[in-house]
């Protein structure tokens, strides 16, 4: 219980510091001082600050994956990821604008991939479409790339627009396209 408390404290302090400072200005010593722990305690849990960021984002990715399994909605899952980003807006922006940009990119790319590939698969099953596995992967990859680009641009622009209306609009504009692509695959393979 104490270990979980300390780990959570380190995470919370990191988010607080990342909300106020550029990533390059945050040190393990500063995190330890604010947490009132010694540096070795930080290193007991994390190799460095980058490992802390990766663990936080990986756990968030797992949460989004589970959430998709409950709703089967790419829109809801994507909005869930957007809410996490908005909740930590300044920190995410500071990480995104740092040398750790790739970690944020990987997180967004993986969220988009999990959500879209699972959605394509669920559409194929739900509508009994016998699309090839290669085509399903290609369709998922296409939408993964589109959503990743959208999200990266949104973050880079300062996250000014409300994601709910944008994701809803994307859903309306492209509604039915995945099913059409899956059916086209089925036709091409017969």
């Amino acid at each position: 219980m104490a270990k979980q408390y300390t780990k959570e404290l380190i995470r919370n302090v990191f988010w607080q510091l990342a909300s106020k400072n550029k990533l390059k200005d945050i040190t393990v010593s500063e995190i330890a001082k604010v947490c009132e722990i010694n540096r070795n305690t930080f290193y007991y849990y994390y190799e460095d600050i980058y490992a802390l960021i990766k663990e936080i984002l990986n756990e968030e990715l797992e949460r989004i994956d589970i959430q998709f399994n409950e709703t089967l909605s790419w829109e809801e899952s994507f909005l869930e990821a957007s809410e996490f980003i908005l909740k930590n807006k300044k920190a995410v922006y500071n990480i995104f604008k740092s040398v750790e940009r790739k970690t944020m990119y990987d997180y967004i790319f993986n969220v988009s991939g999990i959500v879209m590939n699972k959605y394509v698969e669920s559409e194929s099953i739900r509508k009994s479409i016998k699309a090839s596995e290669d085509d399903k992967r290609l369709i998922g990859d296409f939408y993964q790339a589109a959503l990743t680009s959208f999200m990266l641009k949104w973050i880079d622009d300062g996250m000014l627009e409300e994601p709910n209306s944008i994701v809803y609009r994307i859903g309306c504009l492209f509604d039915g396209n995945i099913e059409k692509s899956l059916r086209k695959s089925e036709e091409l393979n017969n």
Side-chain angles (χ1 to χ4, degrees):
M1 184 99 143
K3 286 182 181 183
Q4 188 59 36
Y5 170 80
T6 304
K7 200 170 186 179
E8 196 62 35
L9 179 63
I10 291 169
R11 288 168 174 235
N12 291 338
V13 166
F14 167 76
W15 280 122
Q16 291 168 7
L17 293 172
S19 293
K20 298 173 189 164
N21 306 296
K22 293 180 179 177
L23 191 61
K24 67 179 180 69
D25 297 330
I26 301 171
T27 64
V28 170
S29 295
E30 183 178 20
I31 293 171
K33 181 180 176 187
V34 175
C35 289
E36 298 180 352
I37 60 174
N38 64 45
R39 286 171 39 99
N40 288 339
T41 302
F42 176 92
Y43 288 117
Y44 174 78
Y45 295 104
Y46 303 103
E47 184 179 315
D48 54 25
I49 291 174
Y50 306 115
L52 167 62
I53 294 167
K54 286 178 184 171
E55 183 178 284
I56 290 169
L57 295 178
N58 284 337
E59 287 179 6
E60 185 60 22
L61 186 61
E62 289 174 18
R63 193 179 70 74
I64 298 298
D65 187 22
I66 291 167
Q67 195 269 344
F68 179 85
N69 291 338
E70 293 171 1
T71 65
L72 298 179
S73 166
W74 75 264
E75 293 99 334
E76 286 183 41
S77 298
F78 211 67
L79 286 173
E80 192 75 25
S82 299
E83 286 176 26
F84 166 76
I85 290 170
L86 284 173
K87 183 178 132 194
N88 301 292
K89 185 176 184 175
K90 185 73 173 162
V92 166
Y93 190 76
N94 284 337
I95 293 167
F96 186 73
K97 291 296 186 178
S98 75
V99 295
E100 270 306 285
R101 180 182 187 110
K102 182 170 178 352
T103 300
M104 283 306 305
Y105 170 85
D106 289 347
Y107 165 71
I108 292 165
F109 185 77
N110 289 331
V111 164
S112 300
I114 285 172
V115 168
M116 290 316 302
N117 286 308
K118 283 188 168 194
Y119 181 76
V120 168
E121 185 63 34
S122 70
E123 280 292 283
S124 176
I125 292 167
R126 195 166 59 84
K127 298 191 176 168
S128 302
I129 304 170
K130 292 181 172 76
S132 76
E133 291 302 316
D134 287 343
D135 287 345
K136 286 191 280 188
R137 189 172 41 257
L138 186 62
I139 295 164
D141 289 351
F142 176 81
Y143 284 97
Q144 175 185 20
L147 287 175
T148 298
S149 293
F150 158 75
M151 190 71 125
L152 292 173
K153 182 171 177 4
W154 177 66
I155 292 171
D156 201 34
D157 290 345
M159 299 167 266
L160 302 175
E161 294 182 70
E162 181 61 39
N164 291 8
S165 60
I166 299 167
V167 169
Y168 173 76
R169 188 83 176 169
I170 290 170
C172 288
L173 290 170
F174 295 99
D175 187 39
N177 286 351
I178 290 174
E179 181 182 352
K180 281 182 186 177
S181 297
L182 290 168
R183 291 203 185 281
K184 186 60 102 175
S185 171
E186 185 177 46
E187 288 172 21
L188 291 171
N189 292 318
N190 284 332

